[in-house]
Amino acid sequence: MPFDFKKEYKEFYMPPKEPTIVTVPPMNYIAVRGEGDPNTEGGEYKQAIELLYGIAYTIKMSKKGEHRIEGYFDYVVPPLEGFWWQDGVHGVDYAHKEDFKWVSLIRLPDFVTKADFDWAIEEAARKKKTDFSKVEFLTYDEGLCVQCMHIGSYDDEPATVRLMHEYMTEQGYSLDITESRFHHEIYLSDARKVSPDKLKTVIRHPIKRKDKA
């Protein structure tokens, strides 16, 4: 059976529907940066998703080609993720999606080195005749966070975020969204195939102890 990150690391990908505190270790990602409303048809966000999956599957399917990645094991491509922010906004203003800035992400298995990543960029560009220069190898140490499983439309996320913030305050933490720590979403459902009321999204916010503020 292929290794499935969602099943093997449930604490990061399958949290309960009630807020919890978690410490997220450093991880490597395929990443594309951009800005604007993610719902714009043919927009920058949708183009970024295509680039991410182009590289993700080039790496996954390397087992069938001549490039051998040391330590490779078969795996399920991890879910799409995103860091989101808006300049001058502490948190997220869902009413102004056109102001979003984002980093769209897919986690890399630990056996993928920067050299393997660079090979995948060249290989995908050659095979797909597409410019993958926007795609980067990103190492991110997320650290201490509050998270929760959100069930429903993305537009209904504020209610879940309020619960998360109430919980972190009760536990002695404060929100720590900064220029390098972001509102984080992990998409466990395919929005093209699942009705909005059944979408599963992990929402994660960076926090710190109040006594360290």
Side-chain angles (χ1 to χ4, degrees), residues 2 5 32 34-36 47 62 66-68 74 81-83 92-93 103 109 112 126 128-129 132 134 139 173 186 198:
F5 288 86
V32 177
E35 56 186 65
Q47 294 172 20
S62 65
E66 295 181 359
H67 182 83
R68 291 286 181 254
D74 197 17
E81 308 184 33
F83 297 145
V92 176
D93 180 359
V103 182
V112 178
R126 181 180 67 81
K128 299 177 182 296
K129 303 295 189 281
F132 284 90
K134 287 185 177 181
T139 300
Y173 298 94
I186 303 174
K198 295 182 179 179

Side-chain angles (χ1 to χ4, degrees), residues 5-201:
F5 288 86
K6 298 190 300 299
K7 294 179 180 178
E8 299 297 331
Y9 297 106
K10 290 183 179 180
E11 67 271 33
F12 303 132
Y13 297 101
M14 300 297 291
K17 289 183 282 186
E18 297 79 33
T20 55
I21 305 298
V22 64
T23 299
V24 185
M27 299 180 187
N28 295 329
Y29 295 91
I30 310 165
V32 177
R33 300 173 188 269
E35 56 186 65
D37 189 334
N39 299 316
T40 300
E41 196 60 41
E44 193 172 355
Y45 182 76
K46 289 181 169 53
Q47 294 172 20
I49 304 306
E50 294 178 5
L51 294 175
L52 288 175
Y53 278 105
I55 300 305
Y57 278 97
T58 296
I59 293 171
K60 174 179 168 58
M61 301 311 294
S62 65
K63 62 183 180 180
K64 294 189 174 182
E66 295 181 359
H67 182 83
R68 291 286 181 254
I69 297 178
E70 185 176 353
Y72 180 97
F73 54 79
D74 197 17
Y75 63 98
V76 177
V77 171
L80 179 69
E81 308 184 33
F83 297 145
W84 300 86
W85 72 95
Q86 292 150 308
D87 290 341
V89 177
H90 188 58
V92 176
D93 180 359
Y94 291 84
H96 293 283
K97 295 177 181 177
E98 70 278 4
D99 295 333
F100 272 136
K101 295 186 178 180
W102 40 263
V103 182
S104 196
L105 312 149
I106 294 177
R107 182 179 178 176
L108 283 167
D110 291 341
F111 59 71
V112 178
T113 66
K114 179 60 165 58
D116 295 319
F117 177 86
D118 291 342
W119 165 82
I121 294 288
E122 293 180 6
E123 181 73 359
R126 181 180 67 81
K127 284 191 172 182
K128 299 177 182 296
K129 303 295 189 281
T130 300
D131 181 5
F132 284 90
S133 61
K134 287 185 177 181
V135 186
E136 62 184 274
F137 182 98
L138 175 68
T139 300
Y140 190 75
D141 186 357
E142 195 162 15
L144 190 64
C145 296
V146 60
Q147 66 179 11
C148 189
M149 180 71 78
H150 172 73
I151 308 293
S153 168
Y154 303 130
D155 290 336
D156 294 336
E157 287 182 7
T160 298
V161 169
R162 279 194 296 273
L163 291 175
M164 290 166 53
H165 290 182
E166 289 171 2
Y167 177 78
M168 73 180 185
T169 300
E170 292 169 358
Q171 299 300 313
Y173 298 94
S174 59
L175 190 65
D176 193 32
I177 288 179
T178 67
E179 291 184 353
S180 59
R181 306 190 77 200
F182 312 105
H183 172 95
H184 185 178
E185 299 183 1
I186 303 174
Y187 308 105
L188 302 178
S189 305
D190 187 336
R192 300 168 299 178
K193 301 176 181 178
V194 177
S195 61
D197 62 310
K198 295 182 179 179
L199 291 171
K200 291 184 178 181
T201 308

